[in-house]
Protein backbone atom coordinates (compact mmCIF):
# COMPACT_ATOMS: atom_id res chain seq x y z
CA UNK A 1 0.00 0.00 0.00
CA UNK A 2 1.48 3.40 -0.93
CA UNK A 3 1.74 5.88 1.97
CA UNK A 4 -0.53 8.90 1.65
CA UNK A 5 1.91 11.80 2.03
CA UNK A 6 5.68 12.30 2.20
CA UNK A 7 7.02 13.92 5.40
CA UNK A 8 6.36 17.67 5.44
CA UNK A 9 8.45 20.62 6.54
CA UNK A 10 6.50 21.93 9.52
CA UNK A 11 6.81 25.68 9.21
CA UNK A 12 4.25 28.32 8.23
CA UNK A 13 4.06 28.87 4.50
CA UNK A 14 5.12 32.52 4.81
CA UNK A 15 8.26 31.51 6.72
CA UNK A 16 9.11 28.90 4.08
CA UNK A 17 8.48 31.45 1.31
CA UNK A 18 10.93 33.90 2.88
CA UNK A 19 13.54 31.18 3.40
CA UNK A 20 13.11 30.00 -0.18
CA UNK A 21 13.45 33.57 -1.49
CA UNK A 22 16.63 34.10 0.57
CA UNK A 23 18.33 31.07 -0.97
CA UNK A 24 16.58 28.10 -2.45
CA UNK A 25 19.58 25.75 -2.40
CA UNK A 26 20.04 26.22 1.34
CA UNK A 27 16.30 25.92 1.90
CA UNK A 28 16.23 22.54 0.11
CA UNK A 29 19.41 21.34 1.88
CA UNK A 30 17.96 22.16 5.31
CA UNK A 31 14.74 20.26 4.56
CA UNK A 32 16.55 17.21 3.15
CA UNK A 33 16.81 15.57 6.62
CA UNK A 34 13.11 14.69 6.18
CA UNK A 35 14.02 11.89 3.76
CA UNK A 36 14.54 11.06 0.10
CA UNK A 37 11.05 12.36 -0.70
CA UNK A 38 9.63 15.27 1.30
CA UNK A 39 7.23 18.18 1.05
CA UNK A 40 7.91 21.89 1.21
CA UNK A 41 5.17 24.46 1.19
CA UNK A 42 6.08 27.96 0.06
CA UNK A 43 3.75 28.43 -2.91
CA UNK A 44 0.09 27.98 -3.73
CA UNK A 45 0.75 24.24 -4.11
CA UNK A 46 3.08 22.05 -2.05
CA UNK A 47 6.19 20.75 -3.78
CA UNK A 48 6.98 17.05 -3.34
CA UNK A 49 10.75 17.00 -3.58
CA UNK A 50 12.32 13.93 -5.22
CA UNK A 51 15.97 13.32 -4.40
CA UNK A 52 16.57 9.58 -4.93
CA UNK A 53 17.67 8.46 -8.43
CA UNK A 54 15.16 5.55 -8.44
CA UNK A 55 12.33 8.01 -7.88
CA UNK A 56 13.84 10.42 -10.43
CA UNK A 57 13.70 7.53 -12.91
CA UNK A 58 10.04 6.96 -12.06
CA UNK A 59 9.27 10.64 -12.76
CA UNK A 60 11.23 10.82 -16.00
CA UNK A 61 9.78 7.58 -17.38
CA UNK A 62 6.16 8.25 -16.38
CA UNK A 63 3.92 9.03 -19.36
CA UNK A 64 3.81 12.75 -20.30
CA UNK A 65 0.02 12.47 -20.13
CA UNK A 66 0.25 11.65 -16.42
CA UNK A 67 2.90 14.23 -15.46
CA UNK A 68 2.79 17.65 -17.12
CA UNK A 69 6.04 19.62 -17.38
CA UNK A 70 4.46 22.45 -19.37
CA UNK A 71 2.11 23.28 -16.48
CA UNK A 72 5.16 23.27 -14.20
CA UNK A 73 6.79 25.95 -16.37
CA UNK A 74 3.62 28.03 -16.64
CA UNK A 75 5.10 30.98 -14.74
CA UNK A 76 7.19 31.71 -17.88
CA UNK A 77 4.17 31.87 -20.18
CA UNK A 78 3.87 35.69 -20.12
CA UNK A 79 7.28 36.13 -21.73
CA UNK A 80 7.61 32.97 -23.79
CA UNK A 81 4.01 32.81 -25.06
CA UNK A 82 1.38 30.10 -25.12
CA UNK A 83 2.99 28.18 -28.03
CA UNK A 84 6.37 27.72 -26.38
CA UNK A 85 7.60 24.11 -26.25
CA UNK A 86 8.41 24.75 -22.58
CA UNK A 87 4.80 25.64 -21.77
CA UNK A 88 2.98 23.02 -23.87
CA UNK A 89 2.02 19.49 -22.83
CA UNK A 90 1.03 16.20 -24.47
CA UNK A 91 0.21 16.19 -28.23
CA UNK A 92 0.97 19.90 -28.81
CA UNK A 93 4.27 19.60 -26.94
CA UNK A 94 5.23 16.60 -29.04
CA UNK A 95 4.30 18.42 -32.25
CA UNK A 96 6.47 21.42 -31.36
CA UNK A 97 9.34 19.31 -30.09
CA UNK A 98 9.36 17.33 -33.35
CA UNK A 99 9.38 20.54 -35.39
CA UNK A 100 12.32 21.86 -33.35
CA UNK A 101 14.40 18.68 -33.23
CA UNK A 102 15.93 18.82 -36.75
CA UNK A 103 17.66 22.10 -35.78
CA UNK A 104 19.53 20.18 -33.06
CA UNK A 105 20.65 17.14 -35.06
CA UNK A 106 24.31 16.13 -34.92
CA UNK A 107 25.15 17.22 -38.46
CA UNK A 108 23.70 20.69 -37.80
CA UNK A 109 25.81 20.96 -34.66
CA UNK A 110 28.96 20.25 -36.66
CA UNK A 111 28.16 23.26 -38.87
CA UNK A 112 27.38 25.45 -35.85
CA UNK A 113 30.76 24.76 -34.22
CA UNK A 114 32.50 27.15 -36.62
CA UNK A 115 30.15 30.01 -35.71
CA UNK A 116 30.65 29.38 -31.98
CA UNK A 117 34.45 29.27 -32.39
CA UNK A 118 34.51 32.55 -34.32
CA UNK A 119 32.35 34.36 -31.74
CA UNK A 120 34.26 32.87 -28.77
CA UNK A 121 37.65 33.89 -30.17
CA UNK A 122 36.46 37.42 -30.93
CA UNK A 123 35.08 37.94 -27.40
CA UNK A 124 38.05 36.34 -25.62
CA UNK A 125 40.32 38.88 -27.43
CA UNK A 126 38.40 41.64 -25.66
CA UNK A 127 39.11 40.34 -22.13
CA UNK A 128 41.57 42.71 -20.41
CA UNK A 129 45.00 41.41 -19.36
CA UNK A 130 46.47 41.81 -15.87
CA UNK A 131 43.35 43.24 -14.31
CA UNK A 132 40.31 41.77 -12.58
CA UNK A 133 37.20 41.14 -14.65
CA UNK A 134 33.88 39.32 -14.25
CA UNK A 135 33.91 36.45 -16.73
CA UNK A 136 30.13 36.36 -16.79
CA UNK A 137 30.09 39.63 -18.78
CA UNK A 138 31.99 37.84 -21.54
CA UNK A 139 30.24 34.48 -21.39
CA UNK A 140 26.94 36.33 -21.55
CA UNK A 141 27.91 38.22 -24.69
CA UNK A 142 29.25 35.04 -26.29
CA UNK A 143 26.10 33.05 -25.45
CA UNK A 144 23.82 35.81 -26.70
CA UNK A 145 25.72 36.36 -29.95
CA UNK A 146 25.87 32.60 -30.55
CA UNK A 147 22.17 32.12 -29.98
CA UNK A 148 21.19 35.13 -32.11
CA UNK A 149 23.33 34.09 -35.03
CA UNK A 150 22.42 30.40 -34.91
CA UNK A 151 18.76 30.81 -34.02
CA UNK A 152 17.84 33.89 -36.01
CA UNK A 153 20.50 33.77 -38.70
CA UNK A 154 21.15 37.51 -38.50
CA UNK A 155 24.62 38.86 -39.38
CA UNK A 156 26.48 40.23 -36.38
CA UNK A 157 27.37 43.41 -38.27
CA UNK A 158 23.82 44.28 -39.34
CA UNK A 159 21.51 46.91 -37.87
CA UNK A 160 18.70 44.37 -37.52
CA UNK A 161 20.98 42.06 -35.56
CA UNK A 162 22.06 44.85 -33.22
CA UNK A 163 18.47 45.91 -32.58
CA UNK A 164 17.35 42.34 -31.86
CA UNK A 165 20.39 41.77 -29.65
CA UNK A 166 19.62 44.92 -27.67
CA UNK A 167 15.94 44.03 -27.26
CA UNK A 168 16.62 40.41 -26.30
CA UNK A 169 19.27 41.48 -23.80
CA UNK A 170 16.95 44.14 -22.37
CA UNK A 171 14.15 41.63 -21.94
CA UNK A 172 16.41 39.05 -20.31
CA UNK A 173 17.95 41.58 -17.93
CA UNK A 174 14.54 42.89 -17.03
CA UNK A 175 13.04 39.45 -16.36
CA UNK A 176 16.20 38.59 -14.39
CA UNK A 177 15.63 41.54 -12.07
CA UNK A 178 14.38 40.90 -8.54
CA UNK A 179 10.71 40.04 -8.04
CA UNK A 180 9.80 39.88 -11.76
CA UNK A 181 8.46 36.35 -11.39
CA UNK A 182 6.45 37.11 -8.27
CA UNK A 183 3.43 38.79 -9.98
CA UNK A 184 2.94 35.93 -12.49
CA UNK A 185 3.54 33.50 -9.59
CA UNK A 186 0.80 35.04 -7.47
CA UNK A 187 -1.71 36.34 -10.02
CA UNK A 188 -0.98 33.80 -12.76
CA UNK A 189 0.90 34.52 -16.01
CA UNK A 190 -2.26 35.45 -17.93
CA UNK A 191 -3.57 38.06 -15.50
CA UNK A 192 -4.13 41.44 -17.21
CA UNK A 193 -1.94 43.28 -14.67
CA UNK A 194 0.91 40.87 -15.33
CA UNK A 195 0.48 41.26 -19.08
CA UNK A 196 0.46 45.03 -18.68
CA UNK A 197 3.68 44.84 -16.65
CA UNK A 198 5.48 42.76 -19.32
CA UNK A 199 4.02 44.57 -22.34
CA UNK A 200 6.54 47.49 -22.64
CA UNK A 201 9.44 45.02 -22.62
CA UNK A 202 7.89 42.52 -25.00
CA UNK A 203 6.34 44.86 -27.59
CA UNK A 204 9.53 46.17 -29.32
CA UNK A 205 11.07 42.69 -29.46
CA UNK A 206 7.88 41.15 -30.82
CA UNK A 207 7.56 43.85 -33.45
CA UNK A 208 11.14 43.25 -34.62
CA UNK A 209 10.64 39.48 -34.58
CA UNK A 210 7.42 39.52 -36.61
CA UNK A 211 9.15 41.83 -39.11
CA UNK A 212 12.08 39.42 -39.32
CA UNK A 213 9.73 36.44 -39.77
CA UNK A 214 7.87 38.21 -42.62
CA UNK A 215 11.14 39.18 -44.35
CA UNK A 216 12.62 35.72 -43.94
CA UNK A 217 9.56 34.07 -45.48
CA UNK A 218 10.32 36.06 -48.65
CA UNK A 219 14.00 35.05 -48.86
CA UNK A 220 14.61 33.12 -52.10
CA UNK A 221 17.09 30.78 -50.35
CA UNK A 222 14.78 30.05 -47.38
CA UNK A 223 14.80 26.27 -47.99
CA UNK A 224 18.60 26.10 -47.98
CA UNK A 225 19.26 28.34 -44.98
CA UNK A 226 20.75 26.66 -41.91
CA UNK A 227 19.54 28.99 -39.14
CA UNK A 228 16.85 27.70 -36.79
CA UNK A 229 14.33 30.39 -37.74
CA UNK A 230 14.45 29.40 -41.41
CA UNK A 231 14.25 25.73 -40.46
CA UNK A 232 11.16 26.40 -38.34
CA UNK A 233 9.53 28.34 -41.17
CA UNK A 234 10.01 25.47 -43.62
CA UNK A 235 9.25 22.65 -41.13
CA UNK A 236 5.98 20.72 -41.50
CA UNK A 237 4.21 18.61 -38.89
CA UNK A 238 2.84 15.11 -39.51
CA UNK A 239 -0.28 16.56 -41.16
CA UNK A 240 1.85 18.70 -43.44
CA UNK A 241 1.03 21.95 -41.63
CA UNK A 242 3.61 24.71 -41.03
CA UNK A 243 3.94 26.68 -37.80
CA UNK A 244 2.02 29.95 -37.62
CA UNK A 245 3.96 33.22 -37.16
CA UNK A 246 2.82 33.34 -33.53
CA UNK A 247 4.13 29.82 -32.93
CA UNK A 248 7.45 30.65 -34.57
CA UNK A 249 7.75 33.83 -32.47
CA UNK A 250 7.19 31.89 -29.24
CA UNK A 251 9.76 29.21 -30.11
CA UNK A 252 12.37 31.77 -31.12
CA UNK A 253 11.94 33.68 -27.85
CA UNK A 254 12.05 30.34 -25.99
CA UNK A 255 15.32 29.32 -27.64
CA UNK A 256 16.90 32.69 -26.93
CA UNK A 257 15.77 32.70 -23.28
CA UNK A 258 16.42 28.98 -22.58
CA UNK A 259 19.69 28.85 -24.47
CA UNK A 260 21.39 32.04 -23.44
CA UNK A 261 21.28 32.68 -19.70
CA UNK A 262 21.79 28.98 -18.94
CA UNK A 263 24.95 28.55 -21.03
CA UNK A 264 26.40 31.90 -19.89
CA UNK A 265 25.90 30.97 -16.23
CA UNK A 266 27.26 27.43 -16.60
CA UNK A 267 30.37 28.82 -18.27
CA UNK A 268 30.89 31.46 -15.57
CA UNK A 269 30.75 28.71 -12.92
CA UNK A 270 33.14 26.50 -14.89
CA UNK A 271 35.78 29.26 -14.85
CA UNK A 272 35.07 30.26 -11.26
CA UNK A 273 35.46 26.66 -10.01
CA UNK A 274 38.46 26.06 -12.27
CA UNK A 275 40.36 29.06 -10.92
CA UNK A 276 39.51 28.26 -7.29
CA UNK A 277 40.44 24.57 -7.44
CA UNK A 278 44.09 23.72 -6.97
CA UNK A 279 45.64 21.89 -9.89
CA UNK A 280 42.64 22.33 -12.22
CA UNK A 281 44.03 25.17 -14.31
CA UNK A 282 47.27 23.26 -14.93
CA UNK A 283 45.34 20.10 -15.84
CA UNK A 284 43.22 22.07 -18.30
CA UNK A 285 46.23 23.70 -19.96
CA UNK A 286 48.03 20.38 -20.32
CA UNK A 287 45.00 18.68 -21.84
CA UNK A 288 44.32 21.54 -24.29
CA UNK A 289 48.01 21.60 -25.30
CA UNK A 290 47.90 17.81 -25.86
CA UNK A 291 44.69 18.06 -27.90
CA UNK A 292 42.98 15.78 -25.36
CA UNK A 293 39.31 16.77 -24.79
CA UNK A 294 38.63 14.44 -21.88
CA UNK A 295 39.58 16.89 -19.15
CA UNK A 296 37.39 19.65 -20.62
CA UNK A 297 34.45 17.23 -20.72
CA UNK A 298 35.09 16.21 -17.09
CA UNK A 299 35.33 19.86 -16.08
CA UNK A 300 31.96 20.62 -17.70
CA UNK A 301 30.29 17.56 -16.15
CA UNK A 302 31.62 18.42 -12.70
CA UNK A 303 30.55 22.06 -13.04
CA UNK A 304 27.02 21.07 -14.00
CA UNK A 305 26.96 18.58 -11.09
CA UNK A 306 28.11 20.87 -8.29
CA UNK A 307 26.79 24.14 -9.70
CA UNK A 308 23.71 23.14 -11.71
CA UNK A 309 22.23 26.18 -13.40
CA UNK A 310 18.70 25.11 -12.49
CA UNK A 311 18.01 23.48 -9.12
CA UNK A 312 14.76 21.74 -9.97
CA UNK A 313 12.47 20.56 -12.74
CA UNK A 314 8.78 20.71 -12.02
CA UNK A 315 6.01 18.27 -13.00
CA UNK A 316 2.31 18.78 -12.28
CA UNK A 317 0.29 15.60 -11.75
CA UNK A 318 -2.47 15.22 -14.36
CA UNK A 319 -3.66 11.70 -13.53
CA UNK A 320 -3.30 9.77 -10.24
CA UNK A 321 0.18 8.32 -10.00
CA UNK A 322 2.44 6.52 -7.54
CA UNK A 323 6.04 7.69 -7.16
CA UNK A 324 8.58 6.65 -4.53
CA UNK A 325 5.82 4.67 -2.81
CA UNK A 326 3.55 7.71 -2.39
CA UNK A 327 0.25 8.38 -4.15
CA UNK A 328 -0.21 11.70 -5.89
CA UNK A 329 -3.48 13.17 -7.13
CA UNK A 330 -4.12 15.57 -10.06
CA UNK A 331 -2.95 19.08 -9.26
CA UNK A 332 -0.14 17.95 -6.95
CA UNK A 333 3.42 18.87 -7.86
CA UNK A 334 6.43 16.53 -7.99
CA UNK A 335 9.85 18.10 -8.24
CA UNK A 336 13.04 16.18 -9.05
CA UNK A 337 15.68 18.24 -7.22
CA UNK A 338 18.80 18.46 -9.36
CA UNK A 339 20.71 20.22 -6.59
CA UNK A 340 20.09 17.52 -3.96
CA UNK A 341 20.52 14.52 -6.30
CA UNK A 342 23.93 15.92 -7.31
CA UNK A 343 25.04 16.18 -3.67
CA UNK A 344 24.24 12.64 -2.60
CA UNK A 345 27.23 11.07 -0.86
CA UNK A 346 26.05 7.57 -1.88
CA UNK A 347 26.49 8.54 -5.54
CA UNK A 348 29.27 11.12 -5.31
CA UNK A 349 31.74 10.49 -2.43
CA UNK A 350 32.98 13.84 -1.01
CA UNK A 351 30.12 15.33 -2.97
CA UNK A 352 30.86 18.92 -1.96
CA UNK A 353 34.34 18.78 -3.44
CA UNK A 354 34.80 20.06 -6.96
CA UNK A 355 36.75 17.23 -8.51
CA UNK A 356 36.70 16.92 -12.33
CA UNK A 357 38.79 13.73 -12.06
CA UNK A 358 35.77 11.87 -10.66
CA UNK A 359 34.51 11.72 -14.28
CA UNK A 360 37.65 10.12 -15.67
CA UNK A 361 36.45 6.93 -17.39
CA UNK A 362 32.97 7.43 -15.86
CA UNK A 363 29.89 8.36 -17.87
CA UNK A 364 27.19 10.48 -16.22
CA UNK A 365 24.17 8.40 -15.17
CA UNK A 366 20.78 9.14 -16.75
CA UNK A 367 19.12 9.54 -13.34
CA UNK A 368 22.09 10.56 -11.17
CA UNK A 369 23.42 13.44 -13.30
CA UNK A 370 20.42 15.51 -14.35
CA UNK A 371 21.45 19.14 -15.07
CA UNK A 372 19.38 18.96 -18.27
CA UNK A 373 16.33 17.29 -16.68
CA UNK A 374 15.09 14.12 -18.32
CA UNK A 375 12.57 11.98 -20.15
CA UNK A 376 10.64 13.46 -23.08
CA UNK A 377 11.29 16.92 -21.66
CA UNK A 378 15.07 16.62 -21.44
CA UNK A 379 16.74 19.85 -22.58
CA UNK A 380 16.65 19.94 -26.35
CA UNK A 381 19.82 22.06 -26.41
CA UNK A 382 21.94 19.80 -24.13
CA UNK A 383 24.46 18.69 -26.79
CA UNK A 384 24.57 22.20 -28.20
CA UNK A 385 25.25 23.64 -24.72
CA UNK A 386 27.99 21.06 -23.99
CA UNK A 387 29.68 21.82 -27.34
CA UNK A 388 29.44 25.55 -26.76
CA UNK A 389 30.97 25.23 -23.29
CA UNK A 390 33.80 23.11 -24.61
CA UNK A 391 34.64 25.61 -27.37
CA UNK A 392 34.57 28.63 -25.05
CA UNK A 393 36.65 26.91 -22.34
CA UNK A 394 39.28 25.98 -24.91
CA UNK A 395 39.32 29.50 -26.36
CA UNK A 396 39.88 31.02 -22.90
CA UNK A 397 42.51 28.40 -21.98
CA UNK A 398 44.40 29.16 -25.19
CA UNK A 399 44.43 32.87 -24.36
CA UNK A 400 46.17 32.61 -20.97
CA UNK A 401 46.18 31.25 -17.44
CA UNK A 402 43.29 32.28 -15.19
CA UNK A 403 43.83 33.27 -11.57
CA UNK A 404 41.14 33.66 -8.90
CA UNK A 405 40.36 37.10 -7.49
CA UNK A 406 39.01 36.91 -3.92
CA UNK A 407 37.52 33.82 -2.32
CA UNK A 408 34.98 31.25 -3.50
CA UNK A 409 31.87 32.96 -4.84
CA UNK A 410 28.46 32.58 -3.25
CA UNK A 411 25.42 31.57 -5.27
CA UNK A 412 22.83 34.21 -6.16
CA UNK A 413 19.50 33.59 -7.81
CA UNK A 414 19.15 35.40 -11.15
CA UNK A 415 15.85 34.88 -12.99
CA UNK A 416 15.54 31.09 -12.57
CA UNK A 417 19.28 30.39 -12.66
CA UNK A 418 21.91 30.17 -9.87
CA UNK A 419 24.85 32.47 -10.69
CA UNK A 420 28.21 33.29 -9.06
CA UNK A 421 27.67 36.36 -6.85
CA UNK A 422 30.55 38.42 -8.33
CA UNK A 423 30.06 37.08 -11.85
CA UNK A 424 33.17 34.90 -11.71
CA UNK A 425 35.85 37.44 -10.77
CA UNK A 426 39.17 36.47 -12.35
CA UNK A 427 42.41 37.72 -13.82
CA UNK A 428 44.65 36.52 -16.62
CA UNK A 429 48.07 35.80 -15.09
C1 LIG B 1 24.14 24.67 -19.74
C2 LIG B 1 23.10 25.03 -20.44
C3 LIG B 1 21.70 24.52 -20.25
C4 LIG B 1 21.11 23.95 -19.16
C5 LIG B 1 21.73 23.68 -17.79
C6 LIG B 1 19.73 23.65 -19.52
C7 LIG B 1 18.81 23.02 -18.68
C8 LIG B 1 17.52 22.69 -19.04
C9 LIG B 1 16.57 22.04 -18.17
C10 LIG B 1 16.84 21.60 -16.73
C11 LIG B 1 15.41 21.90 -18.86
C12 LIG B 1 14.10 21.28 -18.35
C13 LIG B 1 14.14 19.79 -18.58
C14 LIG B 1 13.02 19.02 -17.92
O1 LIG B 1 11.96 19.60 -17.62
O2 LIG B 1 13.20 17.79 -17.68
C15 LIG B 1 15.62 22.47 -20.17
C16 LIG B 1 14.66 22.49 -21.18
C17 LIG B 1 14.86 23.10 -22.39
N1 LIG B 1 16.01 23.69 -22.86
FE1 LIG B 1 17.80 23.76 -21.89
N2 LIG B 1 19.52 24.05 -20.82
C18 LIG B 1 20.69 24.59 -21.30
C19 LIG B 1 20.90 25.07 -22.58
C20 LIG B 1 19.96 25.13 -23.57
C21 LIG B 1 20.20 25.61 -24.92
C22 LIG B 1 21.55 26.08 -25.45
C23 LIG B 1 19.00 25.57 -25.58
C24 LIG B 1 18.64 25.95 -26.99
C25 LIG B 1 19.41 26.54 -27.85
C26 LIG B 1 18.01 25.05 -24.65
C27 LIG B 1 16.67 24.85 -24.95
C28 LIG B 1 15.78 24.20 -24.11
C29 LIG B 1 14.39 23.94 -24.49
C30 LIG B 1 13.70 24.34 -25.79
C31 LIG B 1 13.82 23.23 -23.40
C32 LIG B 1 12.37 22.72 -23.32
C33 LIG B 1 12.31 21.25 -23.73
C34 LIG B 1 10.92 20.65 -23.62
O3 LIG B 1 10.14 21.09 -22.78
O4 LIG B 1 10.63 19.71 -24.39
N3 LIG B 1 18.63 24.80 -23.45
N4 LIG B 1 16.92 22.94 -20.26
Amino acid sequence: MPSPQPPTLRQPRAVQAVRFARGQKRFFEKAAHLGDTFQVNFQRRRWNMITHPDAVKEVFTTSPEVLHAGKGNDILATALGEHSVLILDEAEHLRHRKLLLPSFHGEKLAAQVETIERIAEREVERIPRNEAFAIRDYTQTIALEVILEIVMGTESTGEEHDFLAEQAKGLLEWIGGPYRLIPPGILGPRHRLVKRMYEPKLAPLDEALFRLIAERRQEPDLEEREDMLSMLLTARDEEGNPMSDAEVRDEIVTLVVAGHETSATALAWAFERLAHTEGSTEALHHSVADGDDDYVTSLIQETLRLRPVLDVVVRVVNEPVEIAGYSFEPGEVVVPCIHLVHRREDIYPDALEFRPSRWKDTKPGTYTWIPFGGGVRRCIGASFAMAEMEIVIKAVASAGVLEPVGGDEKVVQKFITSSPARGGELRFA
Side-chain angles (χ1 to χ4, degrees):
M1 267 289 279
S3 320
Q5 293 264 294
T8 298
L9 187 63
R10 301 223 168 274
Q11 273 174 352
R13 189 191 287 183
V15 173
Q16 294 193 38
V18 170
R19 290 186 51 219
F20 175 83
R22 282 207 186 130
Q24 61 184 50
K25 285 183 198 289
R26 189 121 190 84
F27 172 65
F28 295 142
E29 283 163 27
K30 288 261 178 189
H33 69 273
L34 291 166
D36 284 340
T37 309
F38 60 90
Q39 286 186 337
V40 286
N41 185 18
F42 61 92
Q43 277 203 338
R44 267 184 304 180
R45 297 180 192 162
R46 283 164 194 270
W47 277 16
N48 294 279
M49 307 300 294
I50 308 288
T51 70
H52 193 284
D54 292 346
V56 169
K57 181 176 181 180
E58 287 179 58
V59 173
F60 286 164
T61 53
T62 292
S63 154
E65 273 128 50
V66 175
L67 292 180
H68 281 175
K71 273 211 189 67
N73 298 328
D74 206 44
I75 193 166
L76 303 174
T78 331
L80 303 185
E82 301 296 339
H83 310 290
S84 161
V85 69
L86 263 163
I87 306 298
L88 295 169
D89 279 307
E90 299 197 25
E92 267 305 290
H93 168 259
L94 201 62
R95 173 174 174 263
H96 276 244
R97 193 156 165 122
K98 278 190 180 159
L99 288 164
L100 282 167
L101 270 174
S103 296
F104 292 92
H105 275 168
E107 88 267 15
K108 287 278 170 301
L109 186 58
Q112 290 156 354
V113 161
E114 221 173 280
T115 308
I116 305 174
E117 278 173 348
R118 174 169 42 78
I119 293 170
E121 273 160 30
R122 189 183 70 203
E123 273 310 300
V124 170
E125 281 273 297
R126 291 184 45 241
I127 300 179
R129 310 288 135 154
N130 304 315
E131 62 180 86
F133 61 91
I135 193 119
R136 199 175 196 290
D137 294 344
Y138 297 88
T139 59
Q140 203 153 19
T141 308
I142 294 172
L144 185 61
E145 284 294 325
V146 163
I147 212 81
L148 287 180
E149 201 162 320
I150 288 176
V151 170
M152 302 207 204
T154 51
E155 298 291 331
S156 59
T157 44
E159 233 175 79
E160 187 178 45
H161 175 95
D162 290 351
F163 183 74
L164 280 165
E166 203 182 297
Q167 293 305 320
K169 209 167 155 194
L171 174 67
L172 289 165
E173 268 165 16
W174 182 80
I175 301 178
Y179 313 120
R180 297 288 195 256
L181 289 178
I182 292 176
I186 294 172
L187 299 170
R190 293 160 194 90
H191 193 281
R192 65 187 161 76
L193 290 179
V194 178
K195 286 191 169 171
R196 205 183 292 163
M197 175 186 157
Y198 275 63
E199 160 76 17
K201 285 288 153 195
L202 287 174
L205 177 65
D206 283 354
E207 204 186 304
L209 274 179
F210 283 120
R211 200 168 49 233
L212 181 68
I213 292 171
E215 282 166 12
R216 187 62 55 80
R217 280 198 192 282
Q218 304 306 319
E219 292 287 345
D221 64 345
L222 179 64
E223 301 277 341
E224 289 84 54
R225 289 182 66 112
E226 298 273 320
D227 58 87
M228 295 186 185
L229 168 59
S230 302
M231 291 187 67
L232 283 182
L233 290 174
T234 51
R236 297 290 177 269
D237 63 18
E238 276 160 10
E239 263 112 61
N241 296 318
M243 276 185 168
S244 66
D245 282 7
E247 286 177 317
V248 173
R249 176 269 173 211
D250 289 357
E251 294 308 9
I252 294 296
V253 174
T254 299
L255 292 175
V256 173
V257 171
H260 155 251
E261 185 82 9
T262 44
S263 300
T265 305
L267 274 165
W269 275 124
F271 291 117
E272 190 274 347
R273 283 296 79 209
L274 182 78
H276 285 91
T277 307
E278 230 187 291
S280 294
T281 319
E282 292 77 8
L284 174 67
H285 282 275
H286 283 140
S287 72
V288 171
D290 294 348
D292 167 15
D293 291 345
D294 287 356
Y295 188 79
V296 183
T297 306
S298 299
L299 173 68
I300 296 169
Q301 286 165 188
E302 185 65 347
T303 303
L304 291 172
R305 179 189 72 82
L306 198 56
R307 294 288 185 276
V309 178
L310 304 170
D311 290 331
V312 292
V313 288
V314 179
R315 303 288 188 263
V316 178
V317 176
N318 188 48
E319 290 172 22
V321 64
E322 194 189 307
I323 289 162
Y326 297 104
S327 304
F328 297 105
E329 293 301 315
E332 292 194 85
V333 182
V334 289
V335 182
C337 185
I338 302 171
H339 176 64
L340 291 180
V341 171
H342 286 185
R343 289 180 166 225
R344 287 185 72 102
E345 281 289 328
D346 55 350
I347 309 170
Y348 301 105
D350 302 322
L352 299 188
E353 264 182 45
F354 183 79
R355 201 191 287 158
S357 62
R358 72 171 81 235
W359 297 104
K360 197 169 170 359
D361 304 321
T362 306
K363 276 205 163 18
T366 312
Y367 306 109
T368 51
W369 186 79
I370 52 169
F372 296 109
V376 295
R377 304 303 294 233
R378 187 170 190 267
C379 174
I380 208 169
S383 303
F384 181 93
M386 295 284 286
E388 180 178 11
M389 287 182 75
E390 186 183 317
I391 293 167
V392 177
I393 290 171
K394 283 190 194 162
V396 172
S398 308
V401 177
L402 287 176
E403 278 183 346
V405 175
D408 289 359
E409 296 198 24
K410 291 214 171 84
V411 179
V412 287
Q413 212 57 34
K414 218 172 160 253
F415 184 29
I416 49 172
T417 60
S418 303
S419 289
R422 304 193 304 279
E425 213 182 343
L426 303 163
R427 184 181 13 220
F428 266 130

